[in-house]
Amino acid sequence: MDEIFRGENVYFGGFAEMEGSWGAVRQDELEAHYALRAPGNDPRHVLAQVARMKDVSKAGEERVNGAAAVHYKGTLDQKTVTLRMAKGMREKIDQLRELAGEVAVDAEVWIDAEGRIVRTRLDWPLGAASVRATMNLAKHGLAVEAAAPDKADIVPLPTLGGPLPG
């Protein structure tokens, strides 16, 4: 699957059944359909989540992608975990909360000497059903150019779900 974030849309392509066409969904209409997944795989969503970490403590200093970074650990509450999550998945997490208590996800962030996030990790330890999502960020400050597909190749989609787009 290919994704292009451009303007207010996310374009999805690379699906054999779409025969060269691209699906388009407004970024603000995408939802997460799985635990610890970002809507449309948008890295800004993960950054918004880790910005809401609670009980943050310094875990040490490490090297990430060859650069020195300070490692912090904290937790995400249920409201943050379910941020922009599809209703059906939120309901499943609510049911889990009723059975097992407060939903708490372990969150980690690594920050380099220039104050930039270079890695995030979200971890929900649930035994055999545990979920972990790690995001590495590199080449900070470099412009990214990605042209939107030709209008003739775009198929508007009302929404998008499934394991690949979150």
Side-chain angles (χ1 to χ4, degrees):
M1 180 181 81
D2 297 316
E3 288 182 88
I4 298 172
F5 289 79
R6 185 73 181 194
E8 29 183 65
N9 292 315
V10 181
Y11 301 95
F12 297 90
F15 299 109
E17 62 274 10
M18 291 182 68
E19 301 176 9
S21 295
W22 288 78
V25 181
R26 287 179 48 94
Q27 290 185 44
D28 60 357
E29 293 176 358
L30 285 169
E31 296 178 310
H33 295 270
Y34 296 89
L36 306 188
R37 292 299 304 269
N41 300 311
D42 188 348
R44 294 172 301 179
H45 178 79
V46 178
L47 296 174
Q49 286 180 307
V50 297
R52 296 171 67 170
M53 285 171 49
K54 297 180 184 294
D55 305 318
V56 179
S57 62
K58 184 177 176 181
E61 296 184 17
E62 302 173 26
R63 296 195 79 70
V64 176
N65 299 325
V70 179
H71 181 190
Y72 296 93
K73 291 184 176 186
T75 59
L76 302 181
D77 60 19
Q78 183 170 345
K79 183 176 181 180
T80 302
V81 171
T82 59
L83 187 67
R84 291 189 60 200
M85 185 172 278
K87 180 182 178 186
M89 189 61 182
R90 273 195 325 271
E91 289 171 349
K92 289 178 184 177
I93 291 175
D94 288 343
Q95 291 170 354
L96 179 63
R97 180 181 181 190
E98 289 175 15
L99 292 172
E102 180 63 30
V103 171
V105 168
D106 298 326
E108 300 175 81
V109 64
W110 288 259
I111 300 175
D112 71 10
E114 295 183 44
R116 302 173 301 198
I117 294 176
V118 293
R119 176 177 290 158
T120 66
R121 180 173 295 139
L122 305 179
D123 191 16
W124 196 359
L126 295 169
S130 294
V131 181
R132 174 178 276 176
T134 303
M135 177 175 70
N136 290 302
L137 300 164
K139 299 184 181 179
H140 294 80
L142 294 180
V144 175
E145 290 297 325
D150 292 333
K151 288 185 181 193
D153 295 332
I154 297 172
V155 177
L157 300 172
T159 189
L160 189 65
L164 293 178

